[in-house]
Amino acid sequence: MIAYTHEVSHEWQRRVTVRDFHQGSLLIDDLCDADSLLRAAATHHGEDAQYPCPICGADSLRVVKWVHGEKLGRRSNTARSDDEIERLVDEVGPITVHFVEVCPACKWNYLLKEVTAAPVV
Protein backbone atom coordinates (compact mmCIF):
# COMPACT_ATOMS: atom_id res chain seq x y z
CA MET A 1 0.00 0.00 0.00
CA ILE A 2 1.22 3.52 -0.78
CA ALA A 3 0.44 7.03 0.40
CA TYR A 4 0.68 10.25 -1.57
CA THR A 5 2.41 12.99 0.44
CA HIS A 6 4.17 16.31 -0.12
CA GLU A 7 1.59 17.53 -2.63
CA VAL A 8 2.38 20.55 -4.78
CA SER A 9 -0.81 21.71 -6.50
CA HIS A 10 -0.81 23.65 -9.77
CA GLU A 11 -4.60 23.94 -9.92
CA TRP A 12 -4.72 27.65 -9.04
CA GLN A 13 -2.47 28.47 -12.01
CA ARG A 14 -4.59 26.13 -14.17
CA ARG A 15 -7.71 28.12 -13.27
CA VAL A 16 -5.93 31.37 -14.18
CA THR A 17 -4.79 29.89 -17.51
CA VAL A 18 -8.28 28.63 -18.38
CA ARG A 19 -9.81 32.00 -17.41
CA ASP A 20 -7.28 33.87 -19.56
CA PHE A 21 -8.05 31.58 -22.51
CA HIS A 22 -11.81 32.15 -22.21
CA GLN A 23 -11.24 35.90 -21.95
CA GLY A 24 -9.24 35.81 -25.20
CA SER A 25 -5.82 36.53 -23.67
CA LEU A 26 -4.33 33.17 -24.75
CA LEU A 27 -4.51 31.36 -28.08
CA ILE A 28 -5.62 27.74 -28.29
CA ASP A 29 -2.35 26.87 -30.09
CA ASP A 30 -0.43 28.07 -27.02
CA LEU A 31 -2.37 25.72 -24.73
CA CYS A 32 -3.26 22.66 -26.76
CA ASP A 33 0.07 21.08 -27.64
CA ALA A 34 0.02 17.54 -26.23
CA ASP A 35 2.28 15.32 -28.33
CA SER A 36 1.30 11.89 -29.60
CA LEU A 37 3.06 10.10 -26.70
CA LEU A 38 1.12 12.07 -24.10
CA ARG A 39 -2.19 11.52 -25.91
CA ALA A 40 -1.48 7.78 -26.24
CA ALA A 41 -0.62 7.58 -22.53
CA ALA A 42 -3.90 9.33 -21.72
CA THR A 43 -5.84 6.84 -23.81
CA HIS A 44 -4.11 3.70 -22.52
CA HIS A 45 -3.06 4.59 -18.96
CA GLY A 46 -5.23 7.55 -18.00
CA GLU A 47 -8.38 7.61 -15.93
CA ASP A 48 -11.56 9.52 -16.78
CA ALA A 49 -11.39 12.98 -15.27
CA GLN A 50 -15.12 12.99 -14.34
CA TYR A 51 -15.44 16.54 -15.74
CA PRO A 52 -15.24 17.95 -19.27
CA CYS A 53 -12.22 19.52 -20.93
CA PRO A 54 -11.98 23.17 -19.83
CA ILE A 55 -10.97 24.21 -23.35
CA CYS A 56 -13.16 22.29 -25.83
CA GLY A 57 -15.79 20.78 -23.51
CA ALA A 58 -15.14 17.19 -24.65
CA ASP A 59 -16.02 14.40 -22.22
CA SER A 60 -12.83 12.51 -23.13
CA LEU A 61 -10.60 14.36 -20.62
CA ARG A 62 -8.19 11.98 -18.86
CA VAL A 63 -5.75 12.20 -15.94
CA VAL A 64 -2.43 10.41 -16.44
CA LYS A 65 0.08 9.59 -13.71
CA TRP A 66 3.73 9.98 -14.74
CA VAL A 67 6.47 8.57 -12.49
CA HIS A 68 9.86 10.16 -11.90
CA GLY A 69 12.87 9.18 -9.85
CA GLU A 70 16.59 8.47 -10.21
CA LYS A 71 16.21 4.92 -8.88
CA LEU A 72 13.65 4.11 -11.60
CA GLY A 73 16.20 4.13 -14.41
CA ARG A 74 14.54 3.74 -17.82
CA ARG A 75 11.13 3.55 -16.12
CA SER A 76 11.38 7.20 -15.07
CA ASN A 77 9.21 9.64 -17.06
CA THR A 78 6.65 7.00 -18.02
CA ALA A 79 2.90 6.76 -17.49
CA ARG A 80 1.83 4.15 -14.93
CA SER A 81 -1.33 2.77 -13.33
CA ASP A 82 -1.93 2.78 -9.57
CA ASP A 83 -0.94 -0.91 -9.34
CA GLU A 84 2.29 -0.26 -11.24
CA ILE A 85 3.11 2.74 -9.05
CA GLU A 86 2.61 0.62 -5.96
CA ARG A 87 4.96 -2.07 -7.31
CA LEU A 88 7.60 0.54 -8.20
CA VAL A 89 7.42 2.10 -4.72
CA ASP A 90 7.75 -1.34 -3.12
CA GLU A 91 10.81 -1.98 -5.30
CA VAL A 92 12.72 1.33 -5.15
CA GLY A 93 11.15 3.39 -2.36
CA PRO A 94 9.60 6.86 -2.66
CA ILE A 95 9.09 8.31 -6.15
CA THR A 96 7.55 11.46 -7.58
CA VAL A 97 4.23 11.18 -9.40
CA HIS A 98 2.88 13.91 -11.68
CA PHE A 99 -0.87 14.03 -12.32
CA VAL A 100 -1.38 15.43 -15.82
CA GLU A 101 -4.76 16.31 -17.32
CA VAL A 102 -4.94 15.50 -21.05
CA CYS A 103 -7.67 15.98 -23.65
CA PRO A 104 -7.11 13.68 -26.65
CA ALA A 105 -9.70 15.70 -28.60
CA CYS A 106 -8.10 19.17 -28.53
CA LYS A 107 -4.62 18.30 -27.16
CA TRP A 108 -5.03 20.35 -23.96
CA ASN A 109 -2.66 19.21 -21.20
CA TYR A 110 -1.82 20.59 -17.80
CA LEU A 111 0.19 19.44 -14.80
CA LEU A 112 -2.38 19.38 -11.98
CA LYS A 113 -0.15 18.33 -9.10
CA GLU A 114 3.07 16.62 -8.06
CA VAL A 115 3.19 14.19 -5.13
CA THR A 116 5.59 11.81 -3.48
CA ALA A 117 4.42 8.20 -3.52
CA ALA A 118 5.83 6.30 -0.56
CA PRO A 119 5.11 3.03 1.24
CA VAL A 120 2.65 3.26 4.12
CA VAL A 121 4.56 2.54 7.30
Side-chain angles (χ1 to χ4, degrees):
M1 191 156 160
I2 61 171
Y4 290 127
T5 60
H6 304 102
E7 180 176 329
V8 177
S9 175
H10 300 281
E11 293 196 33
W12 180 84
Q13 185 59 45
R14 175 195 176 276
R15 286 192 295 275
V16 170
T17 300
V18 170
R19 182 203 63 206
D20 288 351
F21 168 73
H22 287 294
Q23 290 178 344
S25 302
L26 296 171
L27 300 174
I28 196 166
D29 291 340
D30 295 331
L31 301 177
C32 298
D33 59 357
D35 63 19
S36 58
L37 178 64
L38 184 53
R39 291 191 324 269
T43 301
H44 299 290
H45 298 284
E47 300 171 356
D48 289 331
Q50 306 298 318
Y51 52 90
C53 174
I55 303 302
C56 73
D59 290 330
S60 57
L61 191 66
R62 312 277 285 169
V63 176
V64 184
K65 296 175 184 140
W66 289 86
V67 296
H68 302 276
E70 288 182 25
K71 295 179 182 177
L72 291 173
R74 63 178 175 74
R75 297 171 296 185
S76 186
N77 197 29
T78 58
R80 299 292 171 151
S81 69
D82 288 331
D83 289 340
E84 291 172 309
I85 292 170
E86 188 169 348
R87 282 193 298 274
L88 289 172
V89 168
D90 287 343
E91 181 184 329
V92 302
I95 60 174
T96 300
V97 181
H98 290 181
F99 289 70
V100 181
E101 171 178 85
V102 181
C103 178
C106 73
K107 301 181 185 177
W108 159 260
N109 64 101
Y110 206 89
L111 173 62
L112 297 174
K113 64 182 174 180
E114 305 167 45
V115 300
T116 299
V120 173
V121 199

